[in-house]
Amino acid sequence: MKNKPGKIFSLGLQHVLAMYAGAVIVPLIVGGMMKLTPSQLGYLIAADLLTCGIATLLQLWKNRIFGIGLPVVLGCTFTAVFPMISIGKQYGMSAIYGAIIVSGLFVVLISGLFSKLIRFFPPVVTGSIVTIIGVTLVPVAMNNIAGGQGSPDFGNISNLAIGFGVLAFIVIINRFFTGFIQAISVLLGLIVGTAVSAFLGKVSFKAVGEASWFSMVKPLYFGMPTFHASAILTMVIVAIVSLVESTGVFLALSEICNRKLDEKDLSRGYRAEGIAVILGGLFNSLPYTTFSQNVGLVQLSKVKTRDVILCAGLLLMGLGLIPKFAALATVIPNPVLGGAMVAMFGMVVASGIKMLGRIDFSNNENLLIIACSVALGLGVTVVPNFFAHLPSVLRIIFENGIVAGSVTAIILNIIFNVIGKAGKATNSEEKISVQKVS
């Protein structure tokens, strides 16, 4: 792989394209709700992409202090979208970044403590979390195949044909090819799908023409950060939620890469994420977390080398500095992205099921943990307003299907397999003592 830079570039580009939509949709939503000018919104997207690249390299660079060293790609956490909008409308943009910086410092400080909680993540929990990640992402893929939620041609036959055509193309590539061609099947699907869409008149290059050639990120672009207790508390909760999500991704990738993680590995991973969040606040971009989208791509491509992720990180940084090239990725139609997402997110589900295969299914308590966590995670995803009347602090936790399902799995595992086993052990010891006395 090291002697074939062309292959490394293609695989790295595939990772960038797989997460690009997720990376830019957050600044687009936040910037739109905050009524940013086109130039301000352009800066926010560029700063986001650049920091995505830096954050990815921080995780890849495994050292004594930070970096988990797994093939992970980082992007803005979706959990932060509505909390940031709420903070921004109440206190302004500067308060968003003040809260992000403090939340990043919080993650760095608690990284060692949080890593000690690994004993609460046995296969029944990690398998459930990874499965939840996959099933909660599938609706995103299906919405994209139909044309994107809210689009005027949602569900149009041509959109469905393009989306499922891309999916079929990826399946055919994986069936009849091996090696490098198989590894870049998603990238080829995106290219072919976009080409077909362009022939049908569904691709617009307007954004590319309007984008500038070069843009340099300016720290504190939106002014000096301000600090408000409620805003800080909100973003700290978001940070903790992101750590739960990242833990699931770390454990899924460790399974795929056949690498066992210990407390120190997780601590370095959390610390790198905290540093990335601090940089997001200083560069006035966004808070960052490990992207689950790319887990399925690692599994699907079977390429687990760090060279590919290094290339992806550098490409993201380059896209952040050259907006015109970054805009090229925006021309990929939603149905094309959706077709590729179905394959990738489906592989995440398959990874979770594989992890669950190691547990004892004859144990009814394990079945209940899986049933409740997956059902709640999927339920919250398909009924997003279910917790609409809860206080905003609680909504941050429960409105995210991945987090709601993950927290459910963790709590039920503690009830059944930690407290429950301790109680059973105590009862057994008491019975033995009684028998000895008698």
Side-chain angles (χ1 to χ4, degrees):
M1 181 67 74
K2 289 182 178 179
N3 298 323
K4 299 177 180 178
K7 291 184 178 181
I8 294 174
F9 177 82
S10 298
L11 291 165
L13 179 61
Q14 183 173 241
H15 270 285
V16 171
L17 292 177
M19 58 82 67
Y20 189 85
V24 300
I25 195 67
V26 175
L28 284 172
I29 294 172
V30 174
M33 294 298 291
M34 293 303 299
K35 309 296 183 184
L36 297 184
T37 65
S39 62
Q40 289 175 326
L41 184 58
Y43 171 83
L44 187 60
I45 294 173
D48 176 40
L49 290 171
L50 178 68
T51 317
C52 280
I54 296 172
T56 297
L57 298 183
L58 286 173
Q59 278 291 22
L60 192 64
W61 180 25
K62 182 181 177 181
N63 54 72
R64 293 178 59 186
I65 301 173
F66 61 82
I68 199 163
L70 287 170
V72 297
V73 177
L74 276 76
C76 178
T77 172
F78 289 90
T79 312
V81 172
F82 294 108
M84 285 193 295
I85 292 170
S86 177
I87 293 169
K89 287 187 173 181
Q90 187 172 0
Y91 300 112
M93 292 291 289
S94 61
I96 295 176
Y97 296 113
I100 289 174
I101 292 169
V102 175
S103 68
L105 288 170
F106 175 81
V107 170
V108 171
L109 291 174
I110 70 161
S111 56
L113 174 64
F114 203 83
S115 66
K116 296 183 185 302
L117 303 178
I118 186 63
R119 68 190 184 93
F120 296 112
F121 292 88
V124 67
V125 173
T126 56
S128 297
I129 291 175
V130 174
T131 304
I132 291 164
I133 289 173
V135 298
T136 55
L137 287 172
V138 168
V140 177
M142 300 307 290
N143 274 318
N144 273 284
I145 285 181
Q149 202 163 20
S151 65
D153 62 344
F154 188 86
N156 188 287
I157 295 297
S158 62
N159 289 340
L160 301 182
I162 291 169
F164 287 113
V166 169
L167 176 60
F169 182 83
I170 292 171
V171 171
I172 291 169
I173 291 291
N174 279 273
R175 170 62 181 84
F176 293 103
F177 293 88
T178 58
F180 176 66
I181 297 297
Q182 185 185 64
I184 61 168
S185 59
V186 173
L187 175 61
L188 293 175
L190 291 173
I191 292 172
V192 171
T194 303
V196 171
S197 299
F199 178 76
L200 296 174
K202 290 180 172 289
V203 176
S204 171
F205 291 93
K206 182 180 178 181
V208 180
E210 293 177 350
S212 59
W213 279 103
F214 183 78
S215 174
M216 178 58 71
V217 169
K218 302 172 185 176
L220 307 179
Y221 175 85
F222 290 102
M224 291 296 292
T226 57
F227 304 93
H228 301 269
S230 61
I232 291 170
L233 177 61
T234 299
M235 293 310 296
V236 164
I237 293 173
V238 169
I240 294 172
V241 166
S242 296
L243 289 182
V244 174
E245 291 186 67
S246 293
T247 301
V249 175
F250 292 156
L251 294 171
L253 280 170
S254 71
E255 182 80 11
I256 294 170
C257 298
N258 298 314
R259 178 184 152 195
K260 188 174 177 61
L261 298 178
D262 57 24
E263 288 182 10
K264 291 182 179 179
D265 289 320
L266 290 173
S267 179
R268 286 192 295 265
Y270 300 146
R271 201 169 290 122
E273 193 163 302
I275 295 171
V277 173
I278 294 171
L279 289 176
L282 293 174
F283 289 162
N284 283 181
S285 54
L286 301 161
Y288 294 92
T289 190
T290 307
F291 256 29
S292 51
Q293 286 94 320
N294 295 77
V295 177
L297 188 53
V298 173
Q299 177 78 348
L300 193 63
S301 68
K302 298 181 177 65
V303 177
K304 310 161 189 175
T305 62
R306 292 167 59 182
D307 289 346
V308 170
I309 304 302
L310 173 63
C311 179
L314 294 174
L315 281 172
L316 284 166
M317 292 176 65
L319 290 174
L321 295 172
I322 309 173
K324 194 171 285 289
F325 285 142
L328 278 173
T330 66
V331 307
I332 302 174
N334 285 327
V336 176
L337 282 173
M341 285 175 177
V342 168
M344 292 187 297
F345 298 165
M347 290 301 288
V348 176
V349 177
S351 296
I353 294 172
K354 180 182 177 182
M355 295 170 74
L356 289 172
R358 300 206 308 265
I359 71 169
D360 179 13
F361 280 106
S362 65
N363 185 334
N364 193 59
E365 294 172 345
N366 284 337
L367 291 175
L368 195 59
I369 292 171
I370 299 168
C372 291
S373 59
V374 174
L376 186 59
L378 182 59
V380 172
T381 301
V382 298
V383 188
N385 295 321
F386 190 82
F387 294 109
H389 295 290
L390 285 179
S392 58
V393 172
L394 293 177
R395 286 210 322 268
I396 294 169
I397 300 173
F398 294 110
E399 279 189 341
N400 184 298
I402 294 173
V403 177
S406 299
V407 170
T408 302
I410 293 167
I411 292 174
L412 290 180
N413 177 65
I414 292 172
I415 293 171
F416 290 128
N417 295 329
V418 179
I419 299 174
K421 283 185 178 179
K424 289 176 183 178
T426 302
N427 291 334
S428 299
E429 289 173 2
E430 288 176 353
K431 288 180 181 178
I432 292 171
S433 298
V434 170
Q435 290 173 356
K436 285 182 178 179
V437 170
S438 59

